[in-house]
Amino acid sequence: MDQFYNEEQRMVRDTARKLSENVVAPAAATIDREDEFPREIYNALAEQGLFGVALSEDAGGVGLDAMAACIVMEEIARGSGAVGNAFAIPVEAAIFLDHHGSETTKGWIPGILDGSVIPATAVTEPDTGSDVAAMKTTAIRNGDEYVIKGTKAWVTFGQIADVIMVFAKTDPEAGHKGISCILVETDRAGVIKGKSEDLLGMHGLAECMVTLDEVRVPVTNLIGPEGGAFKMAMGNFNFARLMMSSMALGMAQAAMEDAISYANDRKQFGKPIFEHQAIQFMIADMAKDISAARLLIHNAAKLYDAGHSIAMEAAQAKLFTTDMAQVHISNALQIHGGNGYSREFRIERLFRDVRLSQIYEGTNQIQRMIIARQVQKAYT
């Protein structure tokens, strides 16, 4: 794909690759083992301006595009899926605030970009995941304030966030049309951060449950129109799915590289195992599907940057890439044989980390529903 990148995209790719290989990858095993938020690496990403890669210069960003963000994500996730996930949070938060924020809430963007303000987003609840409209968290207006009450689950950066964009019902009787997004500073009374979740993979992201016990925030903290957050969230999901796809792509690329290296070094029956057709076919399928995934992602990103709706294209990219990454990272582990089951090898961590990608930003079952509905619209 390099021949299709413009000069700016190549430059940001090279910056991200250098950072990933020299800083991210060497720390990945420690992050996984210790499960501590890698603040120094997070700051290094910010110092390179990567959090603003898809944000306009007028908004304080680098002024590139979604395509560049996908390229950067692939490179960072190639070094560590968890750090790739950490990269996505401020990128998406800054774009969301730029698109929908008021003068007050946009004031948080510079801090998000320079890494001094850690953002989080709270949509999912203990009893509601894919069914966003069924959320129970409420934000009832009382004079010049909203009083927010409810519990949010799986809040990435929840334990360390300075601000959380909370999705809550300002009109509980209006279904999805009653959902609003309100920025909550986490030092406000009533914000209760739960214990860090003990996850299968994606360690170091300070994921937790957040309880909002009658938290009072000024109405000026509203992001977008009251009752308009469901539509805003659905639009944001399209960009987020490009990020998630690119994260899975980076991990799949890393797995293939490890599989090739191991297969060239490991000898069985008198020759490197790469020389056995069974291994060659597995690696050939990896290369084929990784290339196809990259094309799907970059096609969707190009359409997004041109201002087109990408509901179907983003869902297709997310579905295909995360499913194929799960399959081929598993195959790469198989090529490693017994060593693949050892934490001495990166492939074991990749195997655990990539599993989240089929759940995050809408499960792959939801992606199939989105694609089917878009196809029905196109052919009916």
Side-chain angles (χ1 to χ4, degrees), residues 139-148 170 182 216-222 226:
I140 305 304
R141 185 160 179 171
N142 183 0
D144 292 332
E145 295 180 318
Y146 287 109
V147 181
I148 307 174
T170 46
I182 301 167
R216 292 178 174 270
V217 299
V219 295
T220 51
N221 279 23
L222 179 69
E226 192 171 278

Side-chain angles (χ1 to χ4, degrees), residues 96 100 121-125 128-140 146 148 152 165-183 222-234 237:
F96 189 80
H100 305 294
T121 301
V123 179
T124 302
E125 298 182 358
T128 60
S130 298
D131 187 5
V132 175
M135 70 172 56
K136 297 176 183 177
T137 299
T138 58
I140 305 304
Y146 287 109
I148 307 174
K152 294 296 184 179
M165 294 183 288
V166 175
F167 285 72
K169 286 188 173 177
T170 46
D171 183 354
E173 306 303 317
H176 72 273
K177 293 183 179 180
I179 299 174
S180 301
C181 183
I182 301 167
L183 187 143
L222 179 69
I223 301 171
E226 192 171 278
F230 183 84
K231 184 177 180 180
M232 288 154 49
M234 294 304 105
F237 272 137

Side-chain angles (χ1 to χ4, degrees), residues 31-355:
I31 294 168
D32 180 63
R33 183 176 60 254
E34 298 181 355
D35 199 10
E36 294 290 336
F37 174 63
R39 186 65 194 242
E40 290 185 5
I41 292 176
Y42 187 85
N43 289 343
L45 295 172
E47 288 167 8
Q48 293 294 329
L50 296 179
F51 294 160
V53 67
L55 197 65
S56 70
E57 292 184 77
D58 290 343
V62 176
L64 298 183
D65 50 21
M67 179 74 166
C70 291
I71 293 168
V72 171
M73 172 59 95
E74 180 183 345
E75 294 297 334
I76 298 300
R78 180 169 155 261
S80 165
V83 176
N85 202 341
F87 163 72
I89 305 300
V91 171
E92 293 170 20
I95 290 173
F96 189 80
L97 287 172
D98 182 48
H99 286 177
H100 305 294
S102 63
E103 184 177 346
T104 298
T105 54
K106 284 184 178 181
W108 290 97
I109 292 176
I112 291 171
L113 296 182
D114 68 21
S116 62
V117 173
I118 296 180
T121 301
V123 179
T124 302
E125 298 182 358
D127 296 324
T128 60
S130 298
D131 187 5
V132 175
M135 70 172 56
K136 297 176 183 177
T137 299
T138 58
I140 305 304
R141 185 160 179 171
N142 183 0
D144 292 332
E145 295 180 318
Y146 287 109
V147 181
I148 307 174
K149 189 172 180 61
T151 299
K152 294 296 184 179
W154 309 116
V155 182
T156 305
F157 288 177
Q159 282 201 324
I160 57 173
D162 299 297
V163 293
I164 302 177
M165 294 183 288
V166 175
F167 285 72
K169 286 188 173 177
T170 46
D171 183 354
E173 306 303 317
H176 72 273
K177 293 183 179 180
I179 299 174
S180 301
C181 183
I182 301 167
L183 187 143
V184 177
E185 301 92 338
T186 59
D187 59 359
R188 290 187 177 274
V191 177
I192 304 167
K193 300 174 180 180
K195 68 177 181 65
S196 182
E197 300 287 354
D198 189 9
L199 303 178
L200 171 71
M202 287 292 172
H203 296 160
L205 298 181
E207 189 123 359
C208 72
M209 194 173 289
V210 176
T211 299
L212 302 133
D213 185 10
E214 297 190 352
V215 179
R216 292 178 174 270
V217 299
V219 295
T220 51
N221 279 23
L222 179 69
I223 301 171
E226 192 171 278
F230 183 84
K231 184 177 180 180
M232 288 154 49
M234 294 304 105
N236 187 63
F237 272 137
N238 290 330
F239 179 83
R241 284 165 186 156
L242 295 183
M243 291 287 93
M244 185 53 48
S245 303
S246 300
M247 187 187 80
L249 176 63
M251 287 189 280
Q253 178 69 34
M256 182 176 70
E257 292 169 5
D258 284 2
I260 293 168
S261 177
Y262 188 86
N264 278 320
D265 290 341
R266 177 71 167 173
K267 292 182 173 61
Q268 292 288 281
F269 305 104
K271 59 184 177 181
I273 62 172
F274 198 106
E275 299 303 317
H276 295 284
Q277 191 178 72
I279 303 299
Q280 291 176 350
F281 282 10
M282 292 169 78
I283 291 175
D285 284 342
M286 287 179 201
K288 164 182 65 72
D289 289 347
I290 286 170
S291 293
R294 191 173 287 115
L295 288 168
L296 276 173
I297 294 167
H298 290 184
N299 174 64
K302 283 287 189 182
L303 290 170
Y304 179 91
D305 289 331
H308 297 286
S309 171
I310 62 163
M312 183 163 74
E313 289 82 2
Q316 288 174 332
K318 199 266 185 184
L319 172 63
F320 180 83
T321 307
T322 60
D323 276 358
M324 82 85 189
Q326 179 71 33
V327 168
H328 289 312
I329 290 175
S330 178
N331 286 341
L333 190 152
Q334 188 74 13
I335 288 170
H336 282 71
N339 285 327
Y341 209 61
S342 167
R343 293 199 174 186
E344 293 298 315
F345 288 78
R346 174 170 69 166
I347 192 64
E348 181 272 343
R349 170 168 46 83
L350 290 168
F351 183 79
R352 287 184 289 107
D353 282 352
V354 78
R355 189 62 182 85

